[in-house]
Amino acid sequence: MTRNNTNMNTKQRKSTLLFPDLSYKIQGCVFEIRKQYGPGQKEIIYQRLLEEKLQNANLKVKREKKINIYSQDSGKVMGIYQPDLLVEDKVVLEIKSSTFTTKTNEKQLYYYLRNSNFELGYLINFSTPRLFMKRIVYSNRRKPYLHFGASSRSVSR
């Protein structure tokens, strides 16, 4: 009986997860790279490896695509941000290669999500003793500035 409840809860949870299939593919590619190449490569190497692995999984990947950062007060574009990788125009990936991951790294991705049209991001550090991968979600429902003149504003996607 417990097993059925667990399976039911897992299915319910998966259905509410943002981009579950895409997330699963991204995570699988990240684990494969870490397994194949280990820690200690340069950041650009991990970026290129992940880009190639994701493309081989038939995913659309853009490296350092410019995305708009909006003012929370007016909804105007204040600048741009270039994530390491953008997958399927839905998920932002920030890649690191250092011996530790800082709260500043996490906050940076969080703020980019909070002030852009994107809701899901991954912070991935391949060179920590144990692979570091953090999934960060910031729902567009919490972004009132996206509703300021949305039809007249150009969105970089």
Side-chain angles (χ1 to χ4, degrees):
M1 188 159 117
T2 305
R3 189 172 187 74
N4 288 338
N5 289 339
T6 302
N7 289 338
M8 185 176 71
N9 290 340
T10 303
K11 288 177 185 173
Q12 288 174 346
R13 193 172 180 195
K14 186 176 180 182
S15 66
T16 60
L17 193 66
L18 189 60
F19 309 126
D21 295 332
L22 182 55
S23 294
Y24 181 78
K25 288 178 183 179
I26 290 169
Q27 290 173 19
C29 290
V30 169
F31 285 123
E32 279 186 46
I33 289 169
R34 174 60 184 247
K35 184 177 168 185
Q36 289 176 323
Y37 296 91
Q41 303 292 327
K42 290 183 178 184
E43 187 174 307
I44 190 68
I45 300 298
Y46 288 120
Q47 287 175 7
R48 290 175 181 160
L49 288 168
L50 187 53
E51 180 181 21
E52 177 183 67
K53 190 76 76 175
L54 292 166
Q55 288 172 340
N56 289 344
N58 296 317
L59 296 173
K60 186 173 74 172
V61 183
K62 295 178 185 167
R63 189 174 346 150
E64 298 183 355
K65 180 179 182 343
K66 295 176 182 175
I67 62 174
N68 292 331
I69 299 297
Y70 299 98
S71 164
Q72 291 184 25
D73 296 326
S74 66
K76 293 179 183 176
V77 175
M78 293 288 121
I80 58 165
Y81 156 60
Q82 291 180 257
D84 292 327
L85 297 173
L86 184 60
V87 183
E88 294 289 317
D89 285 325
K90 295 177 182 175
V91 182
V92 173
L93 302 181
E94 270 301 315
I95 313 300
K96 301 292 180 196
S97 180
S98 62
T99 54
F100 57 91
T101 307
T102 66
K103 287 288 181 193
T104 303
N105 297 140
E106 291 180 41
K107 286 180 182 178
Q108 180 184 27
L109 178 55
Y110 171 82
Y111 291 132
Y112 288 142
L113 291 173
R114 187 176 78 175
N115 298 303
S116 74
N117 288 333
F118 296 92
E119 296 179 283
L120 177 60
Y122 279 91
L123 175 61
I124 304 159
N125 190 341
F126 285 98
S127 291
T128 51
R130 289 177 52 143
L131 175 67
F132 180 91
M133 182 168 25
K134 183 155 189 176
R135 185 176 196 275
I136 300 173
V137 177
Y138 198 98
S139 173
N140 282 345
R141 290 186 305 245
R142 298 176 60 194
K143 303 173 187 178
Y145 60 88
L146 289 180
H147 308 291
F148 295 132
S151 61
S152 63
R153 187 178 64 231
S154 66
V155 176
S156 176
R157 277 209 177 204

